[in-house]
Amino acid sequence: MGANFRILHFSDLHFSNGRDCQASNHSHSIDMCSAISSFVKNNNDFDKVIISGDISDGGDRESLLTAHDWIMHDMGIGAKERIGLRLNDNPQKLGIVPGNHDAWNNRSGGKLISRWQKSLENYNSIFYYTQLG
Protein backbone atom coordinates (compact mmCIF):
# COMPACT_ATOMS: atom_id res chain seq x y z
CA MET A 1 0.00 0.00 0.00
CA GLY A 2 1.24 3.56 0.70
CA ALA A 3 3.62 5.11 3.16
CA ASN A 4 2.61 5.65 6.76
CA PHE A 5 1.41 9.08 7.89
CA ARG A 6 2.06 9.78 11.57
CA ILE A 7 -0.06 12.28 13.53
CA LEU A 8 0.54 13.43 17.08
CA HIS A 9 -2.65 14.78 18.64
CA PHE A 10 -3.30 16.32 22.01
CA SER A 11 -6.07 18.47 23.37
CA ASP A 12 -7.32 20.51 26.32
CA LEU A 13 -4.02 21.97 27.48
CA HIS A 14 -5.81 24.74 29.42
CA PHE A 15 -2.80 27.03 29.70
CA SER A 16 -3.04 29.84 32.22
CA ASN A 17 -0.64 32.72 32.72
CA GLY A 18 1.63 31.16 35.37
CA ARG A 19 4.93 29.60 34.32
CA ASP A 20 6.91 28.98 37.49
CA CYS A 21 6.89 25.24 38.20
CA GLN A 22 7.16 25.96 41.94
CA ALA A 23 4.10 28.26 41.97
CA SER A 24 0.46 27.28 41.99
CA ASN A 25 -0.84 30.21 39.93
CA HIS A 26 -1.36 28.19 36.78
CA SER A 27 -3.99 25.66 35.80
CA HIS A 28 -1.96 23.81 33.21
CA SER A 29 0.31 21.01 34.28
CA ILE A 30 4.00 21.83 34.03
CA ASP A 31 4.74 18.10 34.42
CA MET A 32 2.43 17.25 31.51
CA CYS A 33 3.93 19.99 29.30
CA SER A 34 7.42 18.79 30.17
CA ALA A 35 6.54 15.18 29.34
CA ILE A 36 4.97 16.17 25.99
CA SER A 37 8.00 18.35 25.17
CA SER A 38 10.37 15.51 25.95
CA PHE A 39 8.32 13.04 23.91
CA VAL A 40 8.24 15.34 20.86
CA LYS A 41 11.97 16.03 21.15
CA ASN A 42 12.80 12.31 21.27
CA ASN A 43 10.20 11.22 18.68
CA ASN A 44 10.13 14.04 16.18
CA ASP A 45 9.19 11.93 13.17
CA PHE A 46 5.54 13.04 13.06
CA ASP A 47 4.10 14.31 9.81
CA LYS A 48 1.59 16.53 11.60
CA VAL A 49 1.03 17.76 15.15
CA ILE A 50 -2.61 18.59 15.90
CA ILE A 51 -3.57 20.58 18.99
CA SER A 52 -7.31 20.77 19.44
CA GLY A 53 -9.56 22.69 21.76
CA ASP A 54 -9.02 24.70 24.88
CA ILE A 55 -5.43 25.73 24.41
CA SER A 56 -6.01 28.27 27.16
CA ASP A 57 -8.16 28.08 30.24
CA GLY A 58 -9.61 31.57 29.96
CA GLY A 59 -8.83 32.92 26.50
CA ASP A 60 -6.79 35.80 27.95
CA ARG A 61 -3.76 37.10 26.07
CA GLU A 62 -1.24 36.10 28.73
CA SER A 63 -2.25 32.43 28.82
CA LEU A 64 -2.39 32.26 25.01
CA LEU A 65 1.07 33.84 24.81
CA THR A 66 2.33 31.25 27.29
CA ALA A 67 0.85 28.47 25.14
CA HIS A 68 2.27 30.03 21.97
CA ASP A 69 5.74 30.18 23.52
CA TRP A 70 5.53 26.53 24.59
CA ILE A 71 4.21 25.35 21.20
CA MET A 72 6.40 27.41 18.88
CA HIS A 73 9.55 27.96 20.95
CA ASP A 74 9.98 27.14 24.61
CA MET A 75 9.07 28.69 27.92
CA GLY A 76 10.96 29.15 31.14
CA ILE A 77 9.56 27.29 34.11
CA GLY A 78 12.02 28.40 36.78
CA ALA A 79 15.65 27.81 37.69
CA LYS A 80 16.76 28.36 34.08
CA GLU A 81 14.80 25.28 32.98
CA ARG A 82 13.00 25.59 29.63
CA ILE A 83 10.44 23.32 28.01
CA GLY A 84 8.67 23.53 24.66
CA LEU A 85 7.75 21.83 21.42
CA ARG A 86 9.91 24.17 19.31
CA LEU A 87 7.72 23.84 16.21
CA ASN A 88 8.63 27.31 14.92
CA ASP A 89 11.11 25.86 12.44
CA ASN A 90 8.40 23.75 10.83
CA PRO A 91 5.01 25.51 11.24
CA GLN A 92 3.41 23.59 8.36
CA LYS A 93 3.73 20.54 10.57
CA LEU A 94 1.27 22.11 13.03
CA GLY A 95 -2.52 22.36 13.06
CA ILE A 96 -4.32 24.19 15.87
CA VAL A 97 -8.08 24.29 16.47
CA PRO A 98 -9.35 26.62 19.23
CA GLY A 99 -11.96 25.52 21.75
CA ASN A 100 -14.68 27.24 23.70
CA HIS A 101 -12.29 28.24 26.52
CA ASP A 102 -10.15 30.09 23.99
CA ALA A 103 -13.15 32.34 23.32
CA TRP A 104 -13.85 32.99 27.03
CA ASN A 105 -11.87 36.21 27.19
CA ASN A 106 -13.97 38.65 29.14
CA ARG A 107 -14.10 37.64 32.78
CA SER A 108 -14.63 41.11 34.18
CA GLY A 109 -18.06 41.61 35.65
CA GLY A 110 -21.48 41.35 34.09
CA LYS A 111 -23.82 38.45 33.67
CA LEU A 112 -22.35 35.09 32.71
CA ILE A 113 -24.13 35.07 29.36
CA SER A 114 -22.55 38.39 28.41
CA ARG A 115 -19.06 37.14 29.30
CA TRP A 116 -19.25 33.71 27.68
CA GLN A 117 -17.49 33.17 24.35
CA LYS A 118 -17.17 36.79 23.30
CA SER A 119 -14.77 36.18 20.43
CA LEU A 120 -11.53 34.58 19.37
CA GLU A 121 -9.86 37.99 19.10
CA ASN A 122 -7.04 37.12 21.52
CA TYR A 123 -6.52 33.70 19.96
CA ASN A 124 -6.47 35.13 16.43
CA SER A 125 -4.05 37.92 17.29
CA ILE A 126 -1.57 35.44 18.78
CA PHE A 127 -1.95 32.33 16.64
CA TYR A 128 -3.49 33.46 13.36
CA TYR A 129 -2.31 36.99 12.67
CA THR A 130 1.28 36.21 13.65
CA GLN A 131 1.32 33.33 11.14
CA LEU A 132 2.03 30.96 14.06
CA GLY A 133 5.67 32.03 14.20
Side-chain angles (χ1 to χ4, degrees):
M1 295 237 132
N4 291 333
F5 188 81
R6 294 182 44 137
I7 297 174
L8 173 64
H9 173 250
F10 45 96
S11 181
D12 293 284
L13 295 169
H14 288 275
F15 270 88
S16 62
N17 59 7
R19 295 182 184 211
D20 185 348
C21 63
Q22 299 299 315
S24 61
N25 67 337
H26 50 79
S27 59
H28 57 278
S29 168
I30 297 293
D31 291 338
M32 176 196 64
C33 290
S34 182
I36 293 171
S37 298
S38 179
F39 181 81
V40 169
K41 180 181 177 182
N42 295 321
N43 301 282
N44 199 7
D45 57 347
F46 296 100
D47 297 297
K48 197 76 167 176
V49 177
I50 304 295
I51 303 171
S52 63
D54 298 345
I55 297 152
S56 68
D57 195 50
D60 59 284
R61 288 189 57 80
E62 186 66 30
S63 63
L64 288 164
L65 285 168
T66 300
H68 182 274
D69 284 352
W70 180 75
I71 293 166
M72 300 309 293
H73 310 286
D74 59 27
M75 68 178 192
I77 59 171
K80 298 183 181 179
E81 186 178 359
R82 302 194 69 80
I83 59 172
L85 301 182
R86 297 174 180 95
L87 293 173
N88 193 47
D89 292 338
N90 201 358
Q92 67 274 10
K93 192 175 191 173
L94 177 63
I96 301 178
V97 179
N100 66 309
H101 280 249
D102 302 315
W104 177 294
N105 56 23
N106 184 7
R107 291 190 174 195
S108 59
K111 294 180 181 177
L112 179 62
I113 194 68
S114 67
R115 297 182 326 191
W116 184 255
Q117 296 185 15
K118 286 290 195 176
S119 75
L120 288 171
E121 182 178 338
N122 290 335
Y123 171 86
N124 287 339
S125 71
I126 292 166
F127 285 98
Y128 180 69
Y129 300 132
T130 61
Q131 301 298 316
L132 294 177

